[in-house]
Amino acid sequence: MAPKTPQSNFSGPVVVDPVTRIEGHLRIDATVENGKIVDVRSSSQLFRGLEIILKGRDPRDAQHFTQRACGVCTYVHALCSTRAVDNAVKVKIPKNATIMRNLVMGSQYLHDHLVHFYHLHALDWVNVANALQADPVKTAALSNSLSPNRKETADQFKAVQTKVKALVDSGKLGIFTNAYFLGEKKNEAYYLPAEADLMAVKHYLDALHMQVKAARAMAIFGAKNPHTQFTVVGGVTNYDALKPDRIAEYKALTDEVIAFIKDFYIPDLLAVASFYKDWAGIGGTSNFISFGEFPTDEYNLDSRFFAPGVIMKRDLAKVASMDQKKIEEHVKHSWYVGDKAHHPYNGVTEPKYTKLEDKDRYSWMKAPRYNGEACETGPLATVLVAFAKGHKPTVDAVKFVLNYLKVDASALFSTLGRTAARGIECLVTANQMQVWLDALVGNVKGGDTELYTPWKMPNEAEGVGFVQAPRGALSHWIKIKKGKIENFQLVVPSTWSLGPRCAAGKLGPVEEALMGTPIFDPHRPVEILRTVHSFDPCIACGVHVLDAKTGKTSSFKVL
Amino acid sequence: MKISVGHGLADAEKRLEESGVSRRDFMKFCGIIAATMGMGPAYATEVAAALTADNRPSVIWLHNAECTGCSESILRMASIDGKTAYIDTLILDVISLEYQETIMAAAGEMAEKALHDAMKKPYLLVIEGGIPMKDNGIYGKVGGVTMLEMVKKAITSKNCLATIAYGTCAAYGGVQAAKPNPTDAKGVKAVFPKSLVINVPGCPPNPYNLVGTVVAAIMTVTKKAPLPALDGDLRPTVFFGATVHDQCERQPFFEKEQFAMSFDSPEAKKGWCLYKLGCKGPSTYNNCPTKKFNPLDKGVGVNWPVQAGHPCIGCSEPNFWDKMSPFYEMEK
């Protein structure tokens, strides 16, 4: 019989704070009864106030401020703000600018998902210490069986083992100190064979070097990573990147990264998943929202390569179009005054911190709801919408994964499904990169080097930008008055996925996902990390919507 | 984010050898670091001695109000020659990184314990992010305590040898400290004026500047070298001694008064000077034009904002969010 997550009869509270290997400051407060989570709260622990800081500034500058919402999902806020102001000033940007923005976003998807799988998520599944028990010869055989393009040797795995052994023998474990897979007693929640553990440890290191290349590719068009500096309202600025040698450099780096994704990331994901198949029945949610991404026409959401849409109650037969009017934000269980839900246009933001372990009001995040329902966003939402709409590249990739794991589509609604969907989104995006690059090269060869359309700042205007970031649905909303920012709002993926309860008491998606999760060892609750990390939390993004200075209502809180 | 981080204070050279780094490579690396710090090749031996000494400090890295872009930036370092170990691996291999929330395996109380234990012996402190001060710091908490309390405990401990404020937020408060500074966020030195603080600003900084500063700090606290020269904003002058403008590849256009006047102009396409589109290079001290960002081989990066046709926004200057903006207008 396949190994399963061990069960316990523990009852009591389990708190994880800080949740590490994420962006930002997150706390999970769970109540466990007879070995299963029966109550849970997701609490964000930092507030920064970016929206307040933006008021009165030049709308063109917004992208630089908002990009500093997050350095992990870098670029996405810069793009979203730029789209919002493009929209407000009604400028039609050149085709090449759209393509260049897509290429940088594509690089961000490749980079972000690769890093998430190996460096932020893998240690929830991979027992580094157990890699010492592996046979390097068998490990090489296992690894090479997963892709015809792998040519790994026993010596390479032996070298990694030696490195891990030196680490353990030294007694100084650095970043692995007190990891949940360590302890006097083996943590039975980890059950990969030793060879799979060793293989994953080696690829953890290889991926560390590969992500440098993915970021470097992004910088050829984006100027630098983290924090690109090439977008402007009206287009992009990077004429240097249109030179054939720069495009060739981008292509060479990107091809190398894509090969790694195909030959290592995806096969490793499937291999690890095949050992943890019981996690296809743990950690699911019900509703999903995606804004879609990679437009051919910046002004038409339906032109996006991944389509926008909403799925309710896991019903893949019905994908609704996304209607921003159905969005409300709740504060009844957040550190704000009041308990009424508002459409963001009429949002009220009045901070009122209570205390750390308050069960009633417990997070700096608000709780966005679509038609009154909590919706998960991120790769799983994007993949489900694309799959349900019959987007062929996505359908093919989903079918390939389901067939490999011998599970049906219902398995997608789980922690494992969420992690697999991230790989699928990455793979499908990777396969599209060359199409965009060819289009850019074709335009340049045809003499079209336009990257920017001039425009004039209106006295009054409003606009919105929608982005499907690697972590999900992101929107920025701007109101311009007298040529300055009168109001600016960000509604970000992590409030959708990791926000608290709403006025109706409905759990946020990560809370819903954690309910019923088995906890074997309350001192090493890796099961909580598995599900929380599968959402790829980015908390800094989620916690900037409060005016702490004045405690005043935001008259404009949109989407 | 690397398995080799912090695996011990002793036997650094032996461990390096085991990870495929020969003494020759290591000395080459030390030579480059010495040169980076403006110390001259003779200092390579001193650098090596400082990095392999048994009594060198471990490193504790704390996060406050920030975006984690600084942590990310350090993970973008590459190898010196594209073949040997990556510089970040090497440097973090040699030091002992005891606490770093972005990459560490432990979480929750196990992570807190790691921090507690690490503070029992001498360490270098690296701070990322500004410190929210308003209402006793309630706007940022880690493990149930405010960031202010957490940093205070770490920086005022007798075991804290020196502090590096990495990034503009830690150095000067950063984006959350821009007007009206809703959480009253401050840089480390402003909150702890008596502490020894070296600022390595940038949004994010070039990771080279951190690697060099960490080595310099280790050499300082192990008494192998004096404290590197700092400017009035506590930045090492070896990295921050010249303006972006003075090192810029477009500077000759400035001299000839050849300016791009709009982003779609033939002059923009030809790569003329961006000063009139708002470039803040003349008022910004940093080494972006020479080091660039996202290196792979030989330590030189692949691009930087001005090369990508975008004006410099002055991100390594104190209070640049207010002082340098609007970013697309000429400086007044």
Side-chain angles (χ1 to χ4, degrees):
Chain A
M1 213 180 82
K4 270 199 162 49
T5 295
Q7 310 286 314
S8 76
N9 57 5
F10 171 80
S11 292
V14 173
V15 177
V16 183
D17 179 8
V19 175
T20 49
R21 283 179 282 125
I22 63 166
E23 198 302 311
H25 302 274
L26 180 71
R27 172 186 177 95
I28 298 292
D29 256 299
T31 305
V32 178
E33 267 178 34
N34 203 22
K36 289 206 161 56
I37 293 179
V38 294
D39 194 20
V40 62
R41 283 172 177 75
S42 161
S43 167
S44 72
Q45 294 281 312
L46 171 69
F47 159 70
R48 293 162 74 206
L50 288 183
E51 290 161 333
I52 300 314
I53 289 164
L54 282 167
K55 284 185 184 176
R57 294 183 186 267
D58 188 323
R60 295 173 295 177
D61 291 353
Q63 60 154 328
H64 299 292
F65 286 82
T66 61
Q67 182 161 218
R68 273 67 186 185
C70 184
V72 177
C73 28
T74 183
Y75 178 54
V76 303
H77 288 279
L79 176 62
C80 203
S81 288
T82 305
R83 280 180 178 167
V85 185
D86 282 346
N87 181 243
V89 307
K90 298 188 168 48
V91 60
K92 193 103 183 152
I93 71 169
K95 278 186 213 144
N96 290 338
T98 298
I99 297 171
M100 206 182 277
R101 290 178 182 185
N102 282 347
L103 285 166
V104 174
M105 188 58 137
S107 295
Q108 172 67 2
Y109 269 55
L110 306 191
H111 180 274
D112 215 53
H113 290 344
L114 194 64
V115 167
H116 179 267
F117 179 71
Y118 284 106
H119 305 121
L120 303 181
H121 203 19
L123 298 180
D124 302 336
W125 311 98
V126 174
N127 181 339
V128 178
N130 195 43
L132 292 178
Q133 311 304 319
D135 175 345
V137 175
K138 283 184 188 162
T139 307
L142 166 71
S143 183
N144 293 336
S145 76
L146 295 175
S147 163
N149 296 323
R150 291 191 189 182
K151 306 273 183 278
E152 299 196 286
T153 65
D155 283 349
Q156 289 171 328
F157 286 108
K158 182 82 197 151
V160 171
Q161 222 172 16
T162 306
K163 206 167 182 172
V164 174
K165 189 160 189 313
L167 185 80
V168 172
D169 288 350
S170 77
K172 301 220 14 131
L173 295 167
I175 60 162
F176 296 121
T177 303
N178 295 340
Y180 287 165
F181 49 75
L182 299 173
E184 281 172 29
K185 265 175 67 184
K186 186 174 187 275
N187 189 343
E188 289 168 37
Y190 287 88
Y191 40 79
L192 283 186
E195 282 72 24
D197 280 324
L198 178 57
M199 175 181 81
V201 171
K202 177 176 184 293
H203 298 161
Y204 174 111
L205 293 168
D206 296 343
L208 183 66
H209 291 186
M210 196 50 66
Q211 61 88 26
V212 168
K213 294 181 179 175
R216 182 176 165 95
M218 186 166 166
I220 290 172
F221 287 124
K224 62 194 175 77
N225 168 301
H227 294 341
T228 57
Q229 204 165 315
F230 78 111
T231 45
V232 280
V233 176
V236 296
T237 63
N238 197 348
Y239 295 102
D240 178 65
L242 297 177
K243 292 175 186 160
D245 61 324
R246 291 298 256 179
I247 287 176
E249 199 178 357
Y250 178 83
K251 182 172 158 49
L253 284 164
T254 303
D255 285 349
E256 197 179 342
V257 173
I258 290 174
F260 188 85
I261 285 165
K262 290 182 176 173
D263 296 331
F264 289 88
Y265 172 20
I266 302 300
D268 283 351
L269 167 68
L270 293 173
V272 171
S274 65
F275 287 108
Y276 280 105
K277 268 207 263 192
D278 56 325
W279 281 83
I282 301 172
T285 66
S286 306
N287 311 315
F288 302 87
I289 187 166
S290 173
F291 291 159
E293 194 46 83
F294 304 113
T296 45
D297 173 358
E298 286 270 11
Y299 298 91
N300 179 6
L301 282 182
D302 290 326
S303 80
R304 296 184 173 196
F305 174 69
F306 289 117
V310 178
I311 291 169
M312 287 291 172
K313 296 192 173 63
R314 303 187 178 186
D315 185 355
L316 296 179
K318 280 188 219 155
V319 184
S321 359
M322 193 273 297
D323 175 5
Q324 65 187 59
K325 292 191 200 75
K326 292 185 176 167
I327 294 167
E328 286 186 319
E329 284 200 302
H330 294 240
V331 295
K332 190 167 189 282
H333 295 286
S334 309
W335 283 317
Y336 302 90
V337 171
D339 55 11
K340 277 199 179 132
H342 293 284
H343 183 271
Y345 270 116
N346 310 313
V348 177
T349 302
E350 198 176 337
K352 194 183 177 190
Y353 185 71
T354 56
K355 59 179 181 179
L356 188 65
E357 287 173 328
D358 190 344
K359 285 195 185 296
D360 185 40
R361 292 184 184 267
Y362 59 90
S363 182
W364 284 120
M365 283 191 196
K366 290 183 175 183
R369 293 292 182 267
Y370 186 89
N371 221 6
E373 301 295 336
C375 292
E376 171 175 349
T377 190
L380 180 55
T382 302
V383 164
L384 286 174
V385 168
F387 179 69
K389 285 191 150 188
H391 183 244
K392 191 166 184 308
T394 306
V395 171
D396 291 348
V398 169
K399 283 188 174 161
F400 165 72
V401 168
L402 296 180
N403 287 340
Y404 184 96
L405 295 174
K406 299 187 184 68
V407 292
D408 64 34
S410 68
L412 291 166
F413 301 97
S414 67
T415 294
L416 203 61
R418 193 173 294 116
T419 296
R422 188 167 289 107
I424 290 168
E425 184 182 271
C426 188
L427 179 65
V428 174
T429 303
N431 284 332
Q432 193 66 12
M433 299 284 285
Q434 188 63 46
V435 176
W436 296 320
L437 195 61
D438 286 345
L440 183 67
V441 170
N443 290 348
V444 173
K445 275 192 183 151
D448 176 6
T449 57
E450 295 309 310
L451 295 179
Y452 177 83
T453 308
W455 53 275
K456 273 208 175 104
M457 183 69 74
N459 192 37
E460 280 193 38
E462 59 181 57
V464 57
F466 293 106
V467 164
Q468 188 70 8
R471 287 165 179 81
L474 169 67
S475 54
H476 288 187
W477 304 75
I478 187 169
K479 261 194 180 174
I480 297 170
K481 203 169 182 180
K482 294 182 183 163
K484 304 281 184 210
I485 297 174
E486 189 191 34
N487 211 329
F488 199 101
Q489 297 293 332
L490 305 83
V491 182
V492 310
S494 289
T495 51
W496 280 106
S497 292
L498 291 114
R501 287 156 170 76
C502 62
K506 289 177 185 168
L507 306 190
V510 79
E511 296 175 334
E512 180 189 358
L514 283 168
M515 291 292 274
T517 296
I519 301 292
F520 176 61
D521 179 349
H523 298 291
R524 296 181 292 178
V526 67
E527 299 89 345
I528 290 178
L529 291 188
R530 283 178 185 160
T531 294
V532 171
H533 282 151
S534 73
F535 284 91
D536 195 3
C538 192
I539 304 305
C541 292
V543 289
H544 43 65
V545 289
L546 156 66
D547 183 350
K549 179 83 175 176
T550 63
K552 261 194 202 156
T553 297
S554 281
S555 59
F556 170 84
K557 183 78 186 71
V558 202
L559 188 97
Chain B
M1 206 185 263
K2 48 208 66 66
I3 193 160
S4 48
V5 168
H7 53 156
L9 292 170
D11 288 334
E13 273 192 65
K14 193 176 151 221
R15 277 184 292 101
L16 286 169
E17 243 166 63
E18 281 165 356
S19 28
V21 180
S22 67
R23 176 154 180 90
R24 195 170 153 268
D25 287 338
F26 180 60
M27 290 312 294
K28 195 169 145 194
F29 166 76
C30 293
I32 288 172
I33 292 292
T36 303
M37 294 306 298
M39 295 188 220
Y43 263 92
T45 322
E46 297 292 322
V47 170
L51 292 181
T52 52
D54 285 348
N55 63 345
R56 76 193 172 286
S58 50
V59 173
I60 293 176
W61 183 306
L62 296 180
H63 289 86
N64 301 298
E66 38 77 12
C67 74
T68 314
C70 293
S71 287
E72 287 284 332
S73 77
I74 196 73
L75 299 170
R76 304 291 185 268
M77 289 294 288
S79 68
I80 309 168
D81 57 5
K83 280 178 263 175
T84 53
Y86 278 30
I87 283 183
D88 61 334
T89 308
L90 202 59
I91 193 70
L92 296 175
D93 218 357
V94 174
I95 65 171
S96 182
L97 185 61
E98 300 289 333
Y99 185 87
Q100 218 288 7
E101 286 169 24
T102 314
I103 59 175
M104 65 194 300
E109 62 183 68
M110 290 301 195
E112 282 182 68
K113 188 175 178 302
L115 176 59
H116 183 78
D117 291 346
M119 283 173 52
K120 288 179 184 164
K121 55 187 185 297
Y123 56 87
L124 273 185
L125 186 59
V126 178
I127 307 268
E128 177 175 353
I131 304 172
M133 300 291 289
K134 189 181 157 80
D135 299 335
N136 298 317
I138 59 161
Y139 298 97
K141 291 192 175 184
V142 178
V145 305
T146 63
M147 290 159 179
L148 175 60
E149 288 171 69
M150 177 179 74
V151 173
K152 186 177 178 184
K153 199 172 166 192
I155 203 170
T156 58
S157 158
K158 65 174 169 31
N159 284 329
C160 178
L161 300 171
T163 299
I164 297 170
Y166 186 56
T168 299
C169 294
Y172 312 120
V175 66
Q176 49 276 318
K179 283 176 193 161
N181 194 353
T183 59
D184 192 22
K186 289 193 168 141
V188 176
K189 186 68 178 181
V191 181
F192 301 100
K194 288 181 191 160
S195 299
L196 171 60
V197 177
I198 303 172
N199 288 331
V200 182
C203 193
N206 195 316
Y208 260 96
N209 300 347
L210 179 71
V211 171
T213 306
V214 166
V215 173
I218 289 175
M219 293 184 70
T220 304
V221 300
T222 54
K223 306 204 181 340
K224 297 261 190 290
L227 187 71
L230 306 178
D231 70 8
D233 295 311
L234 304 181
R235 301 174 289 198
T237 53
V238 62
F239 307 127
F240 299 95
T243 65
V244 166
H245 177 75
D246 283 343
Q247 304 164 83
C248 180
E249 67 255 27
R250 298 193 185 197
Q251 206 252 4
F253 294 108
F254 178 90
E255 297 301 330
K256 285 182 261 175
E257 298 190 16
Q258 292 177 326
F259 300 107
M261 301 303 286
S262 81
F263 288 116
D264 62 329
S265 62
E267 293 75 24
K269 291 181 182 179
K270 282 189 283 187
W272 286 14
C273 178
L274 300 169
Y275 181 64
K276 299 214 165 170
L277 288 169
C279 187
K280 303 300 185 295
S283 309
T284 304
Y285 289 83
N286 208 336
N287 55 2
C288 309
T290 55
K291 276 293 166 202
K292 300 189 181 183
F293 294 87
N294 302 97
L296 192 61
D297 300 330
K298 301 184 180 76
V300 178
V302 73
N303 208 349
W304 72 289
V306 170
Q307 185 178 351
H310 194 288
C312 165
I313 62 172
C315 73
S316 54
E317 291 300 309
N319 198 25
F320 84 95
W321 292 105
D322 293 327
K323 204 169 71 187
M324 302 291 188
S325 63
F327 295 125
Y328 300 94
E329 299 289 337
M330 271 175 67
E331 282 182 281
K332 290 192 184 94

